[in-house]
């Protein structure tokens, strides 16, 4: 469980994010996907930090296996994990041609998201409602930015085809 908590921690997410951003920018040259990825990670981080300050819920104090001093609600690990693996799944989905590849992608993403959230409950630093709230914050945020991204891509596509037809 400590491994899954580490995978969802800020240092791990930063390292993985830098690698993905490098890949998106230099190798694939997908600038708009890079912006979506950064918006997903930064936006979810800002949202959960604001909510922690609003609610100021104390962490559970029974059977805590690790010590953390910040507020509990919502879970930052759950929020960030869902945003990270959710946006990554969205971006990869668009480039995977086979149903098997997409199925494996979704399964791995769901497993990572659930494992990170479960690890926080198991380690005694969050209530289940903290983790659920973190997931809901990310679902809310990802829905908004993916919708905006899709609208942007549609406008670019329409503009390109309008210019091609003239």
């Amino acid at each position: 469980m400590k491994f899954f908590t580490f995978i969802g921690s800020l240092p791990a997410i930063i390292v993985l994010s830098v690698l993905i951003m490098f890949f998106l920018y230099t190798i694939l040259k997908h600038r708009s996907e890079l912006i979506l990825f950064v918006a997903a990670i930064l936006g979810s981080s800002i949202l959960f930090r604001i909510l922690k300050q609003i609610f100021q819920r104390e962490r559970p104090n029974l059977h805590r296996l690790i010590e953390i001093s910040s507020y509990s609600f919502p879970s930052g690990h759950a929020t960030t994990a869902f945003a990270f693996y959710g946006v990554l799944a969205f971006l990869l989905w668009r480039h995977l041609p086979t149903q098997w590849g997409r199925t494996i992608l979704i399964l791995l993403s769901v497993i990572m998201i659930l494992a990170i959230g479960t690890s926080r409950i198991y380690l005694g630093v969050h209530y289940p409602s903290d983790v659920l709230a973190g997931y809901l914050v990310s679902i809310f945020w990802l829905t908004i930015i993916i919708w905006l991204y899709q609208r942007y891509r549609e406008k670019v596509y329409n503009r390109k085809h309008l210019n091609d037809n003239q």
Side-chain angles (χ1 to χ4, degrees):
M1 289 297 168
K2 286 184 178 181
F3 169 76
F4 288 114
T5 282
F6 174 74
I7 291 296
S9 70
L10 184 61
I13 293 294
I14 288 173
V15 169
L16 292 171
S17 293
V18 167
L19 292 173
I20 290 167
M21 290 185 303
F22 175 80
F23 186 74
L24 286 170
Y25 186 78
T26 60
I27 296 170
L28 296 178
K29 310 273 191 255
H30 291 180
R31 307 298 191 279
S32 64
E33 290 183 355
L34 172 66
I35 292 168
L36 173 66
F37 181 80
V38 170
I41 303 304
L42 289 180
S44 67
S45 294
I46 291 167
L47 282 173
F48 90 76
R49 290 177 202 290
I50 289 170
L51 291 171
K52 277 188 186 286
Q53 291 306 310
I54 290 171
F55 290 101
Q56 296 188 359
R57 182 180 190 183
E58 295 299 321
R59 292 186 181 272
N61 49 3
L62 293 175
H63 309 295
R64 201 182 293 176
L65 299 177
I66 59 175
E67 284 301 319
I68 298 175
S69 59
S70 63
Y71 294 119
S72 178
F73 185 88
S75 168
H77 277 70
T79 307
T80 306
F82 200 109
F84 179 83
Y85 291 105
V87 75
L88 191 58
F90 172 77
L91 293 173
L92 291 173
W93 174 280
R94 301 173 68 236
H95 301 288
L96 290 175
T98 67
Q99 188 63 36
W100 276 107
R102 289 177 169 184
T103 302
I104 291 169
L105 171 68
I106 296 302
L107 284 174
L108 288 175
S109 298
V110 167
I111 288 168
M112 290 304 295
I113 291 166
L114 292 176
I116 291 168
T118 303
S119 74
R120 305 304 287 168
I121 298 166
Y122 177 84
L123 294 171
V125 293
H126 283 293
Y127 297 103
S129 59
D130 300 338
V131 171
L132 180 60
Y135 291 160
L136 293 174
V137 166
S138 283
I139 289 168
F140 169 77
W141 182 242
L142 286 176
T143 300
I144 290 170
I145 63 169
I146 288 173
W147 179 77
L148 289 171
Y149 174 79
Q150 295 288 70
R151 282 198 51 168
Y152 167 76
R153 297 297 302 162
E154 187 177 305
K155 285 181 181 182
V156 168
Y157 177 83
N158 289 337
R159 206 175 312 132
K160 181 179 182 218
H161 281 72
L162 180 65
N163 290 337
D164 288 346
N165 292 334
Q166 291 179 352

